[in-house]
Amino acid sequence: MAITLTQQAAKHVQNYIAKRGKGVGLRLAVRTTGCSGLAYVLEFADEAQESDAAFESHGVKVFVDPKSLAYIDGTELDYAREGLNEGFKFNNPNVKDACGCGESFNV
């Protein structure tokens, strides 16, 4: 499987990297935290790590470390605006449960 971005998410990332003036793509990972166990970590990548799995979606490179990939393989990253809020949404088919605040999940 792979990590994919919607066209809207890819456009947002490309615009941000252009404003930032540097970067080769997006780094997606998970860390242990929160009430459900895992939380997403999203950063702009300035370089690829040797052990990263690399994916490309709508012209944006996405880098994932091997440990995180087991939890997020198949995830689609979207960028949505809902009312006054906007941000990335993770459509992860591996999620079995999420906390009420939406900050963490488990698989």
Side-chain angles (χ1 to χ4, degrees), residues 7-78:
Q7 200 164 6
Q8 186 66 21
K11 187 176 181 180
H12 182 76
V13 170
Q14 289 168 334
N15 289 341
Y16 193 84
I17 288 174
K19 285 180 189 175
R20 209 173 156 243
K22 65 178 181 174
V24 295
L26 196 63
R27 180 171 306 285
L28 180 57
V30 296
R31 63 181 161 92
T32 304
T33 189
C35 41
S36 289
L38 299 169
Y40 298 105
V41 178
L42 194 59
E43 303 174 326
F44 289 94
D46 291 330
E47 61 185 34
Q49 302 297 318
E50 190 174 311
S51 62
D52 284 342
F55 306 96
E56 187 162 339
S57 184
H58 296 287
V60 174
K61 290 183 181 177
V62 180
F63 304 100
V64 182
D65 68 90
K67 288 182 181 179
S68 295
L69 187 57
Y71 299 106
I72 58 177
D73 194 16
T75 296
E76 178 189 60
L77 186 59
D78 191 12

Side-chain angles (χ1 to χ4, degrees), residues 35 98-104:
C35 41
C99 69
C101 65
E103 292 294 318
S104 63

